[in-house]
Amino acid sequence: MLIGLFSIFLTSSAQAESLHVLNWWSSASEHAAVDVIAARLLQEDIDWNEVLIPSGSGVAAMIVLKSRVIAGEAPEVAQLNGTIIGDWANLGLLQNLDTVADIGKWDKLLFPAIYSWTRPHGHAVVAPLGIHRVNTLLYNTKIFDRLKLAPPQNWDDLVRIATLLQNAGIPALAQSTEPWQISTLFESLVLAESGAPFYMDIFVNKDPKAYADVRFAQALQRLRTLKKWMQKPIKEQNWTQVTHQFANGEAAMMVMGDWAKGELNSWGLVTDTDFGCTAVPDTGNYHLFDIDTLAMFVSNSPNNRHILAQQKLASIVVSPGVQNDYNQIKGSISVLRNPDLSRMDSCARASWSIFSRGASVQVPSFTHRMATDETSRDTIINELHKFFMDDDITVEETQRRFVLIANILRKSK
Ligand code: BGC
């Protein structure tokens, strides 16, 4: 009997468990951050089996995930960000992680906003990795020092600096025409225009009146103004290519979530020495957040075979050591209320201190799926893209279309 048990133990421990993890982290820093988790997981004899669908902000990854689930081939784990978590949970497709959350005291250790984010319907269904700040402006310190410029605090500063840069023959902003990258810039402009309540009316409530508002017209106009100061031609490139241009000094500034900071660091560029990091002008009092989370899918395999490994992964993700190491590389901040602040650079510390102020300053990123459903998101991004690409489309025309769209989106709810 004893020998029997012993051999069962040997067989099961020899068969290392393996989890397929669908994600879109394909850049150098994203890989390095994932390696932190994978290495820790391996110590538990669990393989991180990478299912990589490269696509900035996860556009393609979400399509592949849907088709795999429909085909009955859900991965055991997926990077699943935003409001869609609740939808998948409603369908009963996500593992319940309440035990992990209880044992790990997530209610005490996580930021309250993160804690609620992990449990859309009162049960934990995702493990939170890190918090990105989307309203981040990176600037090239060498160019700024040479031209004796200080980072812009408001729109007027930005106009003055962009004009000076233009006279010096330097494009002010590195930018791609990829729809999600245009939208990432635009959401900060909406926030800058009139603060969180108006931003929420546009991106969360989709209030037709807000789209007809003069403030929305102004944000669109500003997007068009900024276009003048971007490198020409503005190409459709992925975010790492744009970050390269910024790193090479081909443009003086870049608006992008702070994953771009992680990427610059991974290429050997040092925060505050080679580049600076500040909030997008007029958004300094807000944290436009994007939370990275991992969801564990209920598997088709007999006896819910992967559950223990999935639970292990969830608890590893939230452990302090992994949180500090992972987020330092990724460019995000820890989801824990008390992280190791000594491990954070000035950019992360600013992000952390503003996020710690609580709900009144935390604004959900529209582009990165925190604000609304996928259909609304895709429709709005598509319309913005058209406006950005074609200077003949007027602001008024675009506003009219947005009002129509908002009415339809509201009715279809
Ligand atoms: C994700 C980040 C990722 C970025 C670029 C965002 O939506 O939250 O983790 O680094 O997209 O792909």
Side-chain angles (χ1 to χ4, degrees):
M1 173 69 179
L2 256 184
I3 293 175
L5 271 181
F6 188 59
S7 65
I8 289 170
F9 173 74
L10 271 185
T11 337
S12 60
S13 68
Q15 273 179 356
E17 171 69 275
S18 163
L19 295 174
H20 291 93
V21 188
L22 188 145
N23 66 81
W24 65 85
W25 292 307
S26 52
S27 79
S29 54
E30 290 172 336
H31 261 307
V34 158
D35 282 349
V36 169
I37 309 170
R40 179 64 193 79
L41 200 60
L42 201 57
Q43 289 173 4
E44 307 291 332
D45 254 340
I46 306 170
D47 267 338
W48 173 289
N49 205 329
E50 183 88 331
V51 183
L52 184 63
I53 316 291
S55 48
S57 93
V59 184
M62 286 303 97
I63 297 171
V64 173
L65 179 64
K66 266 183 213 151
S67 32
R68 283 193 56 159
V69 172
I70 292 168
E73 288 164 11
E76 288 83 39
V77 187
Q79 179 191 3
L80 195 65
N81 289 5
T83 55
I84 201 168
I85 296 169
D87 302 336
W88 288 110
N90 269 339
L91 294 170
L93 291 168
L94 305 186
Q95 298 279 20
N96 179 313
L97 299 172
D98 279 347
T99 320
V100 184
D102 288 349
I103 295 174
K105 300 200 170 44
W106 287 12
D107 56 337
K108 304 235 158 31
L109 297 182
L110 299 179
F111 277 115
I114 306 297
Y115 180 66
S116 355
W117 202 261
T118 58
R119 37 198 315 117
H121 307 302
H123 293 284
V125 287
V126 287
L129 281 156
I131 310 162
H132 279 297
R133 191 177 190 191
V134 178
N135 54 326
T136 300
L137 177 103
L138 303 170
Y139 58 94
N140 181 311
T141 42
K142 294 203 176 71
I143 298 178
F144 268 59
D145 288 351
R146 185 151 47 83
L147 298 179
K148 300 196 173 40
L149 302 172
Q153 303 294 317
N154 52 44
W155 179 257
D156 290 346
D157 282 353
L158 188 62
V159 171
R160 193 176 38 79
I161 290 172
T163 313
L164 280 168
L165 286 164
Q166 192 176 34
N167 293 339
I170 306 166
L173 272 189
Q175 178 70 38
S176 162
T177 61
E178 266 194 346
W180 75 269
Q181 294 192 55
I182 295 168
S183 179
T184 294
L185 170 61
F186 184 69
E187 65 179 48
S188 277
L189 297 181
V190 172
L191 184 62
E193 197 52 53
S194 173
F198 182 66
Y199 176 99
M200 301 297 271
D201 276 345
I202 292 287
F203 292 123
V204 179
N205 308 326
K206 286 154 285 170
D207 180 354
K209 286 200 295 299
Y211 286 100
D213 195 288
V214 62
R215 290 169 290 178
F216 190 66
Q218 170 100 317
L220 287 169
Q221 193 51 59
R222 288 187 167 174
L223 180 65
R224 196 152 264 172
T225 305
L226 286 179
K227 196 177 163 187
K228 288 195 307 210
W229 295 316
M230 293 170 183
Q231 77 283 34
K232 303 276 173 329
I234 313 172
K235 296 192 205 126
E236 181 169 329
Q237 338 179 61
N238 63 40
W239 70 270
T240 44
Q241 290 171 310
V242 182
T243 311
H244 263 296
Q245 293 189 321
F246 167 75
N248 295 339
E250 290 167 45
M253 293 176 279
M254 173 175 181
V255 172
M256 182 52 71
D258 46 15
W259 50 86
K261 180 205 71 169
E263 191 65 9
L264 290 166
N265 291 157
S266 79
W267 299 341
L269 277 79
V270 179
T271 315
D272 294 331
T273 304
D274 299 304
F275 67 92
C277 158
T278 187
V280 171
D282 291 318
T283 70
N285 290 328
Y286 289 110
H287 194 295
L288 195 47
F289 67 83
D290 164 24
I291 305 163
D292 281 322
T293 41
L294 289 180
M296 317 291 159
F297 278 78
V298 174
S299 68
N300 293 329
S301 61
N303 306 326
N304 208 358
R305 180 164 81 80
H306 298 285
I307 182 73
L308 290 179
Q310 289 169 317
Q311 288 175 336
K312 194 77 207 168
L313 173 58
S315 75
I316 284 175
V317 159
V318 177
S319 62
V322 166
Q323 276 290 311
N324 291 328
D325 294 350
Y326 166 90
N327 283 299
Q328 189 179 19
I329 301 172
K330 186 69 172 64
S332 38
I333 54 166
S334 172
V335 294
L336 301 175
R337 291 184 205 187
N338 291 309
D340 183 352
L341 293 177
S342 72
R343 299 279 301 278
M344 293 184 178
D345 62 8
S346 61
C347 189
R349 233 179 262 201
S351 167
W352 185 81
S353 60
I354 185 101
F355 194 86
S356 304
R357 286 191 214 160
S360 62
V361 301
Q362 296 165 353
V363 184
S365 165
F366 156 73
T367 312
H368 298 277
R369 304 192 162 77
M370 305 287 128
T372 189
D373 60 283
E374 293 283 293
T375 308
S376 304
R377 173 189 179 272
D378 295 348
T379 314
I380 294 170
I381 292 184
N382 194 28
E383 206 52 41
L384 268 175
H385 183 240
K386 273 197 226 149
F387 171 76
F388 185 84
M389 298 306 285
D390 185 351
D391 290 341
D392 289 337
I393 302 179
T394 64
V395 166
E396 297 72 31
E397 223 175 308
T398 303
Q399 271 190 293
R400 271 197 298 277
R401 286 195 50 82
F402 268 116
V403 171
L404 276 175
I405 289 171
N407 276 314
I408 296 168
L409 290 174
R410 277 198 152 188
K411 274 191 207 125
S412 64
K413 255 188 161 179

